[in-house]
Amino acid sequence: MLTGSKTTFKVRQMVPDMKERMLSHSGVNARGRDMFGLRCLPGECVLQRAVLVRKKLTAKEGGGWLSGTLFCTHFRVAFVPQDSPKADDNADPVLLGDHDVALASIEKVVAVGPSRTKLVTASSSLKFTPEELVLYCRDLRVLCFLFDRLTPDTQAVEITYTIAKTYQPLKPGAVLSFQNAALGSVEMKQFLSNRRRDAHMNWFDSLSDWEQELERTGACGWRVSSVNDRFEMSTSLPKFNVVPQKVLDTELKKTFAHFNEGRIPRWCWRHPRGSDLLRMASFQSNIYHEKDDIRNLELILFGGQSLCVVVELGEEMPSPTDIQLAHTRLRALCLGDISTSVSVPDDKWLSTLESTHWLDYTRCCLRKAVEVACLLRGGHLTVVLQEAEDRDMTCVVSSLVQVMCDPHCRTRTGFQGLVQKEWVMAGHRFLSRINYHRDSDKEEAPVFLLFLDCVWQLWVQYPSRFQLTGDFLLALQDSFHLPLFSSFLANCHRERCKRSQNLSQSYTPVNGWRDVPPRGSIPDPSDPPLPPVWDWALQYSSQRRERFTQPVPPPALPQPLLNGNLNTNPDAHRLSDSTPGSVFLLSRGSFSCSANLLPWRSGGGSGVYRKSHRRGGSSSENLPGLERLLKAWALTELPQGHTTTTAGLQGPLDPYEPLLPLLLGPCVGVWRDCYLRGALHAQAFSHPISSSTQHPVEQLAWEVQQIRDQIALASSPTNTAPAKRQEPRRTDSNLNQNTNNSTFLFPASRPPGPVVSRTTPPTSNLQPRVPPPSSAPLSRPGHRDSSKHTFLFGHPSSSEARPDQRYFPAPNNNAKLPKSNGSSLSS
Amino acid sequence: MTAPHVTLGDVLLPESGAKQTDKFRTENSSLWSQSVEEVLLCRVMASASIPAYNSSNNPLENSSSHNASRESLKMEPLADVTLLPGEERIIDKDIIYICPFSGALKGKVFITNYRLYFKSADADPAVTLDVPLGAIGRVEKMGGASSRGENSYGLDITCKDMRNLRFALKQEGHSRRDIFDILFRYAFPLSHGLLLFAYLSQEKFEENGWSIYKPVEEFRRQGLPNDKWRITFINANYELCDTYPTILVVPFKATEEDLRKVSTFRSRGRIPVLSWIHRENQAVICRCSQPLVGMSGKRNKDDERYLDLIREANGTAKLTIYDARPSVNAVANKATGGGYEGEDAYQNAELVFLDIHNIHVMRESLKKLKDIVYPNVEESHWLSSLESTHWLEHIKLVISGAIQVADKISGGNSVMVHCSDGWDRTAQLTSLAMLMLDSHYRTLRGFQVLLEKEWISFGHKFANRIGHGDKNHADQDRSPIFVQFIDCVWQMTKQFPTAFEFNERLLVTILDHLFSCRFGTFLYNCESARDTNELRSKTVSLWSLVNSDASSYQNPFYTPESNRVLYPVASMRHLELWVTYYIRWNPRIRQQQQSPVEQRYIELLALRDEYLKKLEELQLSDSSPNSSHLSNSSTPNAASPTQHITHLHTPF
């Protein structure tokens, strides 16, 4: 029953009753069961355990030590705190508890003895009883377990051995057995296949998904083509691609040959001001340009706009090799590794950090994205991102542009859709870049992590413009290192489709599902079914998932745009003098219109089309207009930071103002929550917040709620009284339905509040801090109550029962505040 | 980029001559010719200088002007700035401000006895500068009669708050001489026999900040005196030590005679006295100056016995003496009669050197930092440039020293801290350790007490370190020790965002008024000098300003938690440059902004006030006909919202 794992594991010792457990394995509905207090996944076996272990808690967890029992199964290292509540047997299985780590995430096992430390591998032998066990993880976590004097020595030794022997340094084949250990059981397979995927996000895997996106962005003149339905045109492009309406599928088919890997220019996104973002691979050289092809090629590039800017991402951007090298250095620098005892002296930290170039690369990506965002703001042009393969930097830049410009992409679900669109479906080669199988060392490059870091930089500078949080980005970062998710385990749409086809075939047998392959056999490569990474409930408890979004309402999302109707752009006229059909290349911050930018325009052979343009390549009078657009960055940087504070008091901020990050040295920093959380010395952090107190915001919201209720109470019997008494009641209903009437709530000139009010929070720590989480008045049934709560907390769906939610201010909250009314616009 | 303040002025040091001026000109043109882009940048920037309630410090305005706007009643307008009560206008003149971010701006400069105020004429929106004269460290003339080139003839002003200002003037008609003389006179009043502005100010506040710190009360809060420690008035007339306060806490068993004898063996008579006592384990932090060991390795039985009394008071096995200096420096001090506690002489003590460098090193370090952040932030190799200033490294050493002190105390072990004179590094270490140990000092008022006690009353030489009203900018006694301390506090607030009742704005305000000379708080070196100059009766305390408007300085996320020792991480990996202070003049650096949660909190506060008022109105109007509905609650204005809550029955 230990699917496939027997071949790779040499388990020194098994817990005695494992056999018995394995025999009693047939219950289909028993999703999980307790093993010595550990709630196992179906099919999961405890290989070893150690009692009276203490886990070192990180700063975020509150610091200090937690006592409990340590387990090693063939899927994870689990830690169950002493008095953790009994899990509900009927709840859905969660792959990893809050204190667990998957074996596949472990990179190194280090045992610390009385006088020495030792890196423990599958073949090493321990000559001492470990007092401390340190697990270094790929996602940069470091878990530290302390054995008690009362922990039986054999347990301490055995669990160390067991972990060392089963954690499997990544190698070909190891991933599969790990996946089987986690998801391979009959029950898990059934469970996973019954799982509904998140309907709130766009998955971009059907025609209607793309149409929905066209509609959302208000793009017109574009259509979804399914010409690549069978991946015959391009193996790495998705089934569905967005192209100009004017180009018919038959014409479109001929264009694929002109591009590397057939990755033709495709529409990605429309800026609210009416310009379009496209991406493509490099041009195929040595191909004859038919006259008709040329027409179609140009139609695709221009997409109905009069101007086209090609942004070449090859030379200025870091190559995958650069990224890999930088990330390796950053890891080595950040992960204080006691087993190697090579660490960078603290006083050289800054310069060493600089020499990793990681921050330079984030800055570089952000800068490029800013340039593109500024161009798009000009309206009436297409910006085409071009990269040789169109599978790395185009993903980074196109998605960063959208995060900067499209508020939708700063919500959790919007961001997930963005990653689906620009990474998963667009064919970023996750599998090769992550190199889970250790078979593509030369390809390995965490391009996606670089992107996440860039998003984090934006988030730190503009936390209030994001609905998603740093916790969400961190969870995505961690999941990236876990070889369990279909999102990351393929290089393109086609591979995923092939896999799921195989899978569905293998699910056809009469009895509903296949038997688990017999012990020792080579498992079917398509086994087991893999969930998408977005199924967060598989990995995170609901409390932790709640921290993926801000506890305050996100800025209101604007209505979908029709036909780019925000086109009231004052800058538009600047480009009006441009010659229709001009193509410019943006490179190193300046524009050029070299003749051979588009291969078919250069040389005599394709001159036919060129003639149709009055001044094919010499329209340099357009340049100033474009350069002005770029310069606009420097200008907008400031109004962003400053007018908003005042604008916020007067009126809402233009939600389409792009978030342009500051890129000066002091403004781009290391993602400490991610890269430094493993460094053991950093764990000296202790946060003076105990989990029993409410967050001050929730506390205050609760108080306000109370007073509101009081007003309602006081005013209810006095209906007949004149205006003054009725006003509060009107307020009351207003608050629920029409909360954007914020001028009523917050007079524009309102100061932060008189002294009287401010003294309350600190002094009222006795009673108000204890108020029952979602306490008496709030737990009243009925949706009326919940909508009020929604107003206060701004959480449309999950307003009730959030007692445990804690939100700490971001460590680097030096980002800007668009004191917008958005926060109260959540209705 | 460092040219402006390195070049010597032709008046202060006339012998520096024409060569310097020439060099100046060339650097000038390259440095100050600005791109159009930047001009626009700064104008746009300036347009946004309307302070919202959250803008703790605006790059183009000194925060004191915010404060000024709040005490608006008795002020008379000067252009668009309101004068403080007691502030007088001296001169105004057409001038060109050479803004490093937006190029030359024509406008008018106003000089009062408190500030230099500039407003541009043609830029729209106007660029303004509001600089307290106290923040000016140095005024120089740049360019001479032979200077050519645009705007090469004028004034160069170096400020103590991390910026330099340049003004260009017309060469005709002595206009520069007038303005230079006036600036020189009013920026450095003490060098010209004038009074500091704090003595001219007529400001009135609701609160009297001078009453914030009462030594006996503070000691009583700590549980003193007790059977081991007594309060002594031996220094009532500053006879024992002229740089100590009058009220001291010493071991109960030490007689006044003992104290006198010990004072002869401690540099400047700064004997070991108690600073703080741990309520539970009775471990104490004592502070003092170095022992006068000298080259010959002198011993003093009284001093040795006195230290043993400190040790015995709570049964500490070995008194830990933290010498803040690097050991090399401590040894070198022997040559000038100082030194450190030798092992043989002090057998029940262990000596630990904390390797913190002296005031000169700190001054140079901050100077280097200024070079890389003003006017332009070093673009390439920012991190290694930052590293080469060593500023964060010094911060780290100070914090980690304080952590060691706090840790020893938590372990029940009494400690004694000294450096050379016990008024710079010692004050940093003791006050930071106390901040870690005692949550009272993390409140808005507690922090004021801490500063009054450890820094002001124990004689940190503010006058010498800052050089209030003194023209001698090259004085070797100047050093940003207090700035460094506030930076350490800021680092702690970053690492423990909920542990401090005050916010960043308080820290910036403190630093602004450290220089401004508007308040008496940071004037003079020690209590005896303050008494002589009748500081407390003739000037206003900074805490009057702060406590009259406490809500602006409060951290919404403060969660009071007593008895928790905070140990910050003193690692370069977790220390940050205080960008919003050191680089605040750069319009490209965004100011401290609220997180959405903070924003929400403030909105809710406003909402609560709104409702409370409404409720009050309601209940007043209700009270006559049918007050029965509110039978549970007492009068609304007397009851706090909390009380309401507990009695409330919901109507739904």
Side-chain angles (χ1 to χ4, degrees):
Chain A
M1 295 308 253
L2 267 174
T3 54
S5 54
K6 273 298 184 283
T7 48
T8 39
F9 293 177
K10 274 189 217 133
V11 179
R12 243 175 91 94
Q13 183 207 328
M14 281 200 189
V15 174
D17 62 350
M18 193 162 116
K19 258 185 197 140
E20 181 195 322
R21 183 188 146 60
M22 284 155 56
L23 291 173
S24 65
H25 198 257
S26 51
V28 174
N29 293 323
R31 281 169 162 178
R33 63 186 63 230
D34 268 357
M35 290 278 290
F36 312 103
L38 175 70
R39 189 153 169 273
C40 290
L41 296 172
E44 187 180 16
C45 303
V46 172
L47 303 177
Q48 186 55 259
R49 81 185 167 124
V51 295
L52 297 166
V53 176
R54 283 184 299 158
K55 185 193 180 217
K56 194 173 199 169
L57 295 180
T58 63
K60 269 210 152 171
E61 294 165 327
W65 299 87
L66 195 64
S67 312
T69 310
L70 184 66
F71 297 90
C72 177
T73 77
H74 54 244
F75 159 62
R76 59 178 162 163
V77 174
F79 178 80
V80 179
Q82 223 154 35
D83 16 70
S84 56
K86 272 278 177 216
D88 175 9
D89 260 355
N90 292 318
D92 286 343
V94 173
L95 293 176
L96 296 167
D98 288 354
H99 298 287
D100 302 354
V101 59
L103 287 178
S105 299
I106 298 175
E107 193 168 35
K108 266 181 205 164
V109 179
V110 172
V112 182
S115 57
R116 58 210 208 102
T117 60
K118 185 176 163 66
L119 183 70
V120 191
T121 63
S123 56
S124 54
S125 57
L126 271 181
K127 293 200 178 68
F128 58 93
T129 306
E131 291 176 344
E132 203 178 326
L133 177 65
V134 188
L135 305 179
Y136 288 85
C137 303
R138 284 177 223 290
D139 54 19
L140 288 154
R141 272 183 303 167
V142 175
L143 283 84
C144 184
F145 299 101
L146 212 61
F147 298 112
D148 194 87
R149 267 175 299 129
L150 298 173
T151 312
D153 280 3
T154 51
Q155 283 189 2
V157 172
E158 288 303 330
I159 200 158
T160 309
Y161 270 131
T162 311
I163 295 171
K165 281 175 198 296
T166 48
Y167 85 88
Q168 308 164 318
L170 287 183
K171 57 177 187 278
V175 170
L176 192 66
S177 52
F178 170 75
Q179 288 165 354
N180 273 315
L183 313 170
S185 72
V186 175
E187 294 94 326
M188 268 320 265
K189 283 178 181 169
Q190 197 198 19
F191 169 69
L192 289 175
S193 60
N194 287 337
R195 247 172 120 79
R196 296 246 172 114
R197 61 184 204 178
D198 188 348
H200 297 291
M201 63 176 275
N202 194 334
W203 293 75
F204 290 98
D205 61 356
S206 72
L207 197 120
S208 59
D209 286 350
W210 283 95
E211 279 173 346
Q212 192 191 325
E213 179 74 352
L214 283 172
E215 193 182 329
R216 185 185 73 82
T217 55
C220 55
W222 300 88
R223 68 181 181 93
V224 186
S225 163
S226 49
V227 73
N228 198 37
D229 194 24
R230 293 167 177 275
F231 305 109
E232 283 165 343
M233 297 294 120
S234 166
T235 50
S236 65
L237 283 184
K239 283 182 179 177
F240 307 103
N241 293 284
V242 177
V243 294
Q245 266 168 358
K246 287 180 193 161
V247 186
L248 302 174
D249 274 357
T250 46
E251 297 165 337
L252 188 64
K253 279 183 183 170
K254 294 182 189 159
T255 60
F256 285 88
H258 293 270
F259 295 89
N260 191 4
E261 284 191 58
R263 297 178 68 88
I264 54 166
R266 289 113 51 223
W267 177 90
C268 299
W269 181 70
R270 164 161 290 201
H271 191 278
R273 286 190 170 149
S275 28
D276 291 297
L277 180 66
L278 282 76
R279 54 188 283 186
M280 65 179 178
S282 59
F283 301 109
Q284 201 66 275
S285 51
N286 306 326
I287 185 161
Y288 179 70
H289 303 286
E290 295 265 4
K291 191 175 157 191
D292 287 348
D293 290 357
I294 292 172
R295 182 187 153 269
N296 292 323
L297 286 168
E298 299 241 342
L299 274 176
I300 297 178
L301 278 179
F302 282 86
Q305 312 276 15
S306 57
L307 196 63
C308 170
V309 178
V310 176
V311 179
E312 222 288 313
L313 297 179
E315 47 181 84
E316 283 168 75
M317 309 293 284
S319 71
T321 324
D322 295 335
I323 296 170
Q324 170 66 5
L325 188 61
H327 193 254
T328 311
R329 286 181 181 151
L330 181 71
R331 273 183 68 97
L333 175 63
C334 293
L335 209 62
D337 186 340
I338 56 172
S339 68
T340 57
S341 72
V342 181
S343 69
V344 174
D346 204 44
D347 58 347
K348 290 278 169 272
W349 156 258
L350 291 173
S351 52
T352 319
L353 176 63
E354 180 179 281
S355 66
T356 67
H357 292 300
W358 180 260
L359 295 179
D360 291 339
Y361 296 155
T362 53
R363 200 177 281 126
C364 180
C365 295
L366 286 166
R367 180 172 292 126
K368 189 51 85 180
V370 163
E371 287 177 6
V372 174
C374 288
L375 282 181
L376 288 170
R377 197 158 47 164
H380 303 301
L381 49 81
T382 55
V383 175
V384 190
L385 306 176
Q386 184 177 38
E387 187 189 23
E389 290 196 308
D390 176 32
R391 299 178 78 170
D392 292 304
M393 277 304 144
T394 43
C395 303
V396 175
V397 175
S398 68
S399 38
L400 277 179
V401 168
Q402 292 171 60
V403 171
M404 286 173 186
C405 299
D406 190 344
H408 174 70
C409 296
R410 302 193 288 264
T411 64
R412 183 182 63 80
T413 50
F415 185 81
Q416 293 180 171
L418 179 70
V419 173
Q420 275 302 114
K421 182 171 70 166
E422 300 295 344
W423 294 81
V424 177
M425 286 301 154
H428 172 67
R429 292 186 297 166
F430 276 112
L431 191 59
S432 311
R433 290 291 181 228
I434 305 176
N435 193 15
Y436 287 131
H437 295 300
R438 287 292 171 269
D439 56 358
S440 56
D441 288 354
K442 280 185 187 158
E443 303 271 306
E444 186 176 343
V447 180
F448 187 66
L449 296 186
L450 183 65
F451 164 66
L452 286 184
D453 200 315
C454 293
V455 177
W456 180 84
Q457 307 282 354
L458 278 171
W459 178 77
V460 161
Q461 293 195 19
Y462 295 92
S464 55
R465 302 283 292 277
F466 280 81
Q467 186 232 8
L468 58 84
T469 61
D471 284 340
F472 171 77
L473 295 174
L474 198 56
L476 194 49
Q477 200 270 162
D478 291 351
S479 308
F480 180 80
H481 292 279
L482 206 56
L484 280 183
F485 305 106
S486 59
S487 321
F488 301 141
L489 276 157
N491 284 328
C492 59
H493 194 184
R494 177 164 163 268
E495 282 181 21
R496 278 183 202 92
C497 287
K498 267 171 85 177
R499 185 190 165 85
S500 59
Q501 263 168 9
N502 287 346
L503 215 57
S504 55
Q505 278 158 12
S506 69
Y507 269 104
T508 41
V510 211
N511 57 353
W513 52 79
R514 275 180 326 149
D515 283 329
V516 180
R519 207 173 277 188
S521 76
I522 297 158
D524 184 325
S526 63
D527 198 26
L530 298 175
V533 68
W534 314 123
D535 194 349
W536 294 112
L538 282 180
Q539 289 192 76
Y540 294 93
S541 60
S542 60
Q543 288 98 325
R544 291 187 64 186
R545 272 180 285 138
E546 274 182 359
R547 288 200 209 162
F548 288 179
T549 50
Q550 301 270 23
V552 293
L557 282 187
Q559 294 298 308
L561 293 166
L562 284 178
N563 309 332
N565 61 359
L566 245 182
N567 229 330
T568 53
N569 183 13
D571 298 343
H573 69 276
R574 289 183 182 175
L575 295 171
S576 60
D577 57 343
S578 60
T579 317
S582 305
V583 181
F584 297 97
L585 177 73
L586 170 64
S587 172
R588 299 190 186 280
S590 64
F591 295 91
S592 59
C593 43
S594 93
N596 52 5
L597 176 55
L598 302 183
W600 55 86
R601 282 194 181 186
S602 64
S606 54
V608 194
Y609 187 77
R610 204 174 151 204
K611 272 182 207 158
S612 70
H613 286 283
R614 280 173 298 144
R615 283 169 294 174
S618 62
S619 50
S620 51
E621 72 268 27
N622 300 327
L623 292 181
L626 289 169
E627 310 226 306
R628 257 196 307 252
L629 286 179
L630 270 199
K631 289 267 162 66
W633 174 26
L635 299 176
T636 47
E637 216 173 296
L638 296 158
Q640 279 271 317
H642 291 271
T643 50
T644 46
T645 44
T646 42
L649 295 170
Q650 289 145 10
L653 182 80
D654 175 7
Y656 290 107
E657 266 312 300
L659 310 185
L660 302 181
L662 295 178
L663 299 176
L664 281 180
C667 304
V668 176
V670 69
W671 186 2
R672 284 201 180 86
D673 284 348
C674 175
Y675 294 111
L676 286 178
R677 61 187 160 155
L680 288 178
H681 50 83
Q683 305 203 355
F685 263 114
S686 56
H687 211 288
I689 283 193
S690 63
S691 53
S692 59
T693 56
Q694 271 192 312
H695 188 275
V697 169
E698 286 166 28
Q699 164 56 37
L700 186 64
W702 189 77
E703 278 182 43
V704 172
Q705 176 67 50
Q706 296 302 310
I707 303 169
R708 254 159 45 87
D709 288 352
Q710 263 188 304
I711 294 178
L713 176 73
S715 60
S716 55
T718 58
N719 285 342
T720 51
K724 190 171 240 178
R725 249 157 288 174
Q726 286 184 343
E727 189 192 347
R729 302 190 64 237
R730 187 174 59 81
T731 313
D732 194 49
S733 56
N734 264 357
L735 288 173
N736 292 333
Q737 289 134 28
N738 189 18
T739 52
N740 58 357
N741 183 11
S742 51
T743 42
F744 168 72
L745 297 173
F746 316 110
S749 59
R750 185 157 193 103
V755 186
V756 196
S757 74
R758 286 296 289 106
T759 52
T760 316
T763 50
S764 62
N765 57 335
L766 281 178
Q767 282 169 332
R769 282 195 200 282
V770 207
S774 69
S775 57
L778 296 182
S779 57
R780 275 169 283 139
H783 57 270
R784 168 148 193 209
D785 171 57
S786 88
S787 69
K788 263 202 289 184
H789 197 173
T790 300
F791 157 67
L792 290 168
F793 289 100
H795 264 274
S797 53
S798 55
S799 52
E800 291 291 277
R802 315 162 40 80
D804 296 330
Q805 193 198 348
R806 318 223 21 89
Y807 187 81
F808 306 127
N812 283 329
N813 51 358
N814 61 338
K816 63 172 299 302
L817 162 73
K819 167 72 185 74
S820 72
N821 293 342
S823 52
S824 47
L825 282 171
S826 66
S827 69
Chain B
M1 291 320 231
T2 65
H5 61 265
V6 179
T7 316
L8 300 164
D10 44 359
V11 159
L12 288 178
L13 293 162
E15 66 275 12
S16 60
K19 235 195 253 169
Q20 287 280 358
T21 325
D22 257 27
K23 180 179 158 225
F24 207 96
R25 198 183 312 138
T26 47
E27 278 163 350
N28 230 1
S29 52
S30 67
L31 178 55
W32 302 108
S33 69
Q34 299 290 327
S35 67
V36 179
E37 184 186 338
E38 275 190 309
V39 175
L40 289 168
L41 182 90
C42 194
R43 290 188 185 160
V44 170
M45 162 69 216
S47 71
S49 60
I50 309 132
Y53 55 71
N54 61 317
S55 64
S56 59
N57 40 31
N58 191 301
L60 292 175
E61 271 182 304
N62 190 287
S63 71
S64 57
S65 72
H66 293 245
N67 305 334
S69 64
R70 242 174 275 116
E71 308 116 30
S72 55
L73 281 176
K74 295 175 187 167
M75 296 171 193
E76 44 179 290
L78 166 81
D80 57 348
V81 70
T82 40
L83 296 184
L84 299 172
E87 185 176 358
E88 278 168 20
R89 186 161 152 179
I90 312 281
I91 191 176
D92 54 68
K93 205 153 217 128
D94 287 327
I95 207 164
I96 297 166
Y97 168 49
I98 305 169
C99 173
F101 311 108
S102 56
L105 297 165
K106 277 186 188 150
K108 210 166 188 131
V109 69
F110 303 85
I111 295 170
T112 70
N113 53 0
Y114 171 66
R115 79 183 85 203
L116 177 154
Y117 183 83
F118 169 83
K119 189 177 181 198
S120 67
D122 48 356
D124 185 46
V127 170
T128 58
L129 279 176
D130 188 356
V131 188
L133 296 181
I136 293 176
R138 179 178 190 182
V139 186
E140 286 170 294
K141 293 177 184 170
M142 62 170 186
S146 60
S147 289
R148 253 171 266 170
E150 219 185 333
N151 302 330
S152 57
Y153 179 82
L155 291 174
D156 187 28
I157 297 172
T158 309
C159 295
K160 297 169 181 174
D161 58 0
M162 304 292 285
R163 58 178 160 170
N164 294 347
L165 307 171
R166 288 189 153 209
F167 294 100
L169 289 144
K170 293 198 188 78
Q171 294 208 12
E172 306 86 54
H174 302 302
S175 62
R176 181 171 78 172
R177 200 186 62 197
D178 295 350
I179 204 157
F180 176 85
D181 288 347
I182 283 171
L183 260 185
F184 205 68
R185 192 173 157 84
Y186 286 94
F188 312 120
L190 294 187
S191 303
H192 294 89
L194 299 174
L195 286 172
L196 290 167
F197 179 74
Y199 284 89
L200 304 169
S201 169
Q202 302 293 320
E203 285 188 88
K204 300 274 184 293
F205 292 95
E206 291 166 31
E207 289 247 356
N208 178 9
W210 291 125
S211 62
I212 194 78
Y213 174 58
K214 301 205 175 68
V216 176
E217 248 171 52
E218 167 57 19
F219 284 125
R220 198 171 294 142
R221 187 190 66 85
Q222 295 181 20
L224 297 169
N226 61 19
D227 57 347
K228 302 285 187 196
W229 295 90
R230 66 185 179 92
I231 291 178
T232 172
F233 297 92
I234 186 174
N235 201 35
N237 298 316
Y238 307 108
E239 278 161 355
L240 182 80
C241 170
D242 59 354
T243 58
Y244 262 7
T246 51
I247 292 169
L248 300 170
V249 174
V250 294
F252 194 84
K253 290 182 182 164
T255 64
E256 309 291 74
E257 192 46 39
D258 291 339
L259 300 179
R260 281 198 190 89
K261 283 179 185 159
V262 172
S263 76
T264 62
F265 190 64
R266 290 279 162 180
S267 171
R268 298 171 201 271
R270 295 172 68 94
I271 60 165
V273 293
L274 179 144
S275 255
W276 190 79
I277 185 164
H278 192 287
R279 269 201 178 266
E280 274 91 53
N281 64 32
Q282 299 288 302
V284 298
I285 302 177
C286 287
R287 58 181 292 172
C288 58
S289 60
Q290 63 181 340
L292 298 175
V293 175
M295 292 299 270
S296 55
K298 269 185 299 212
R299 289 179 59 166
N300 181 309
K301 288 284 171 210
D302 298 300
D303 192 70
E304 289 161 24
R305 204 176 69 86
Y306 183 77
L307 258 58
D308 225 36
L309 289 179
I310 294 174
R311 181 187 64 77
E312 277 171 15
N314 82 329
T316 296
K318 262 198 171 195
L319 179 71
T320 309
I321 301 170
Y322 285 105
D323 187 328
R325 302 166 292 185
S327 56
V328 194
N329 297 27
V331 173
N333 259 295
K334 284 188 172 179
T336 54
Y340 52 89
E341 292 82 356
E343 257 176 60
D344 298 340
Y346 300 86
Q347 301 218 333
N348 289 325
E350 58 167 344
L351 183 67
V352 179
F353 292 105
L354 293 177
D355 287 328
I356 303 169
H357 285 279
N358 62 23
I359 59 167
H360 310 293
V361 175
M362 302 308 174
R363 181 180 58 235
E364 294 313 309
S365 176
L366 189 63
K367 202 172 271 174
K368 281 186 197 155
L369 181 64
K370 183 174 178 179
D371 288 345
I372 65 165
V373 301
Y374 193 91
N376 294 308
V377 176
E378 182 82 37
E379 283 274 7
S380 58
H381 305 296
W382 159 253
L383 290 175
S384 33
S385 306
L386 179 60
E387 184 177 282
S388 66
T389 67
H390 298 290
W391 181 252
L392 286 178
E393 219 182 311
H394 296 312
I395 297 273
K396 171 187 149 179
L397 282 172
V398 172
I399 293 181
S400 69
I403 290 174
Q404 293 180 53
V405 173
D407 191 48
K408 271 274 185 265
I409 295 289
S410 305
N413 200 319
S414 289
V415 305
M416 196 173 88
V417 183
H418 71 72
C419 45
S420 296
D421 290 314
W423 50 42
D424 292 312
R425 287 164 277 196
T426 301
Q428 289 180 329
L429 290 167
T430 56
S431 51
L432 280 174
M434 287 154 72
L435 207 55
M436 292 171 195
L437 289 162
D438 191 337
S439 59
H440 174 68
Y441 296 128
R442 306 198 282 260
T443 63
L444 183 59
R445 282 163 183 266
F447 187 65
Q448 296 166 17
V449 170
L450 182 72
L451 296 187
E452 285 284 347
K453 177 170 147 44
E454 286 303 300
W455 289 86
I456 297 167
S457 84
F458 272 103
H460 172 68
K461 300 206 292 175
F462 282 105
N464 289 38
R465 297 290 174 255
I466 307 302
H468 293 125
D470 176 56
K471 67 176 182 183
N472 186 8
H473 61 84
D475 187 348
Q476 290 297 301
D477 255 1
R478 295 203 185 168
S479 185
I481 298 300
F482 187 73
V483 174
Q484 188 176 47
F485 162 73
I486 294 290
D487 192 333
C488 294
V489 175
W490 179 82
Q491 303 284 352
M492 282 185 72
T493 63
K494 283 305 251 189
Q495 295 197 10
F496 302 98
T498 61
F500 294 84
E501 193 194 7
F502 51 87
N503 58 16
E504 183 181 28
R505 179 172 175 176
L506 177 78
L507 300 179
V508 174
T509 303
I510 287 173
L511 290 185
D512 280 341
H513 294 297
L514 172 67
F515 305 122
S516 77
C517 297
R518 179 174 154 197
F519 300 101
T521 303
F522 299 115
L523 302 182
Y524 300 109
N525 282 336
C526 54
E527 294 292 61
S528 58
R530 283 178 202 110
D531 285 0
T532 315
N533 291 287
E534 298 169 272
L535 182 86
R536 289 195 171 81
S537 56
K538 290 186 170 172
T539 71
V540 177
S541 162
L542 169 60
W543 315 130
S544 305
L545 171 87
V546 169
N547 295 332
S548 302
D549 182 27
S551 62
S552 325
Y553 301 99
Q554 271 166 342
N555 167 17
F557 299 111
Y558 175 55
T559 316
E561 211 183 1
S562 51
N563 300 327
R564 186 180 176 112
V565 185
L566 304 183
Y567 293 115
V569 179
S571 153
M572 296 298 281
R573 288 161 168 80
H574 289 273
L575 297 178
E576 287 172 58
L577 183 71
W578 188 5
V579 169
T580 44
Y581 177 71
Y582 297 115
I583 322 186
R584 63 179 162 156
W585 309 120
N586 190 323
R588 277 173 175 266
I589 298 289
R590 235 175 251 132
Q591 293 309 299
Q592 179 64 43
Q593 274 118 7
Q594 287 162 313
S595 74
V597 182
E598 193 172 354
Q599 183 186 345
R600 185 83 190 136
Y601 192 85
I602 288 165
E603 285 171 3
L604 284 169
L605 279 179
L607 197 57
R608 188 180 64 181
D609 295 345
E610 186 98 354
Y611 283 151
L612 276 177
K613 216 161 80 197
K614 209 156 272 152
L615 186 64
E616 194 177 321
E617 284 171 8
L618 260 178
Q619 287 171 339
L620 283 176
S621 59
D622 275 356
S623 54
S624 35
N626 43 7
S627 55
S628 57
H629 290 282
L630 295 166
S631 53
N632 281 344
S633 46
S634 52
T635 50
N637 39 1
S640 79
T642 323
Q643 285 165 310
H644 281 300
I645 290 161
T646 49
H647 298 301
L648 192 81
H649 299 290
T650 108
F652 300 112

